[in-house]
Amino acid sequence: PPTGLEGLDSVTLTRFVLHGQRKHHDASGDLTLLLAAVQLACKVTETCVRRAGIAKLYGLAGSGNVQGEDQKKLDIIANDTFKVNIESSERCGVMVSEEDELAIVCTKSSIDGTTGKYAIAFDPLDGSSNIDANVSIGTIFSIFKIDDPDSITDAKSAAAAISQPGRQMVAAGYAMYGSATNLVISVGTGVYGFTLDPSLGEFVLTHPDIKIPSRGKIYSVNEGNAKNWDKATTEYIQSLKYPEEGKSSYSLRYIGSMVADVHRTLFYGGVFIYPADKKSPNGKLRLLYEAAPMAFLMEQAGGKATTGKTEILDIVPEDIHQRVPVYMGSSEDIADFEALASKYA
Ligand code: P6P
């Protein structure tokens, strides 16, 4: 029978990151410290998400407001947790959060007054509208190197410093607070999946070197928006539902929580799509802390990610909260869509 000690001989996220640091001889250890802060913030958020579920039961007594406050509290708790932990790592010069309108200039190092050399964008609790139904939700983050830390003096220069194409990302990842708590991360050397072992309080490596299947059998999109889709999207989805003779249709799986839909796509293959439509001309998902980090992970896992016009990782952000259409997943499936999209370009 399991002894419960099985996790002890596994690689923890901390060891994984430290090992990665040693591969870069010039590494200062700054990214290691920043990722340690992100990891801690994920653990704190995870416990809050678990507790909010219990609070939700109180909310069932008809005090909908409380529940509303809980959700708002939960978004704010998660946001504050990430900001406090990232600031205190003193390795970041810039933070962008889905919850804050302006880019944040981090406080200078208490040791030598310098500016942290990294910039991080994060959605502290994506999909939190789903918490009432106990659906998996998560945190998404992207980390860039700041070219000129001394140039950062205000929100405008901070926004400029992080407005880099996703291809320049140093690291990207997401935590998914589901039946288990996963942390999936890439530092540019492939995608690695960790699972929180609550008895150890450690993220343990459970999925080394994740690769997305080159083709899948699942498509993931909000069919409720079908009347607003453009021609390429309509024709592509139609081809999955009514395939040519002898081919089977794809299955539809849509959770409505990006982290959960992308996580399933990464493991099972297929496509996750949030298209632009007449209602939202640039789609709904934000580039810096939703589409770009997920695109980085997809490409690192052998997948593709496009807006239909350009690869997501090539887009230079013009606004820190800008939205982009998202088509990502298995390379062969996305290539099929791109061929169709080019027909209507
Ligand atoms: P819709 C959650 O609100 C979110 O930002 C993403 O997590 C998710 O993929 C998307 O919106 C769902 O949007 O319009 O289908 O409900």
Side-chain angles (χ1 to χ4, degrees), residues 98 123 125-130 136-138 140 221-223 225 254-262 272-274 279 284-286 290 323:
E98 190 254 359
D123 184 352
L125 205 54
D126 182 75
S128 56
S129 58
N130 291 296
S136 298
I137 55 179
I140 312 169
V221 69
N222 183 341
E223 284 267 9
N225 297 330
Y254 191 70
I255 301 167
S257 181
M258 184 183 197
V259 170
D261 281 317
V262 169
F272 169 71
I273 294 174
Y274 205 107
K279 267 188 327 178
K284 173 180 184 182
L285 301 176
R286 273 56 61 98
E290 288 174 324
R323 300 169 192 268

Side-chain angles (χ1 to χ4, degrees), residues 222 224-234 274-284 323 325 327:
N222 183 341
N225 297 330
K227 67 182 183 313
N228 301 321
W229 291 342
D230 63 20
K231 286 199 175 65
T233 305
T234 303
Y274 205 107
D277 61 32
K278 294 168 196 138
K279 267 188 327 178
S280 356
N282 292 312
K284 173 180 184 182
R323 300 169 192 268
Y327 302 77

Side-chain angles (χ1 to χ4, degrees), residues 61-75:
S63 53
N65 289 344
V66 167
Q67 207 166 346
E69 276 163 12
D70 280 1
Q71 266 193 331
K72 283 199 273 301
K73 269 194 206 140
L74 201 59
D75 283 329

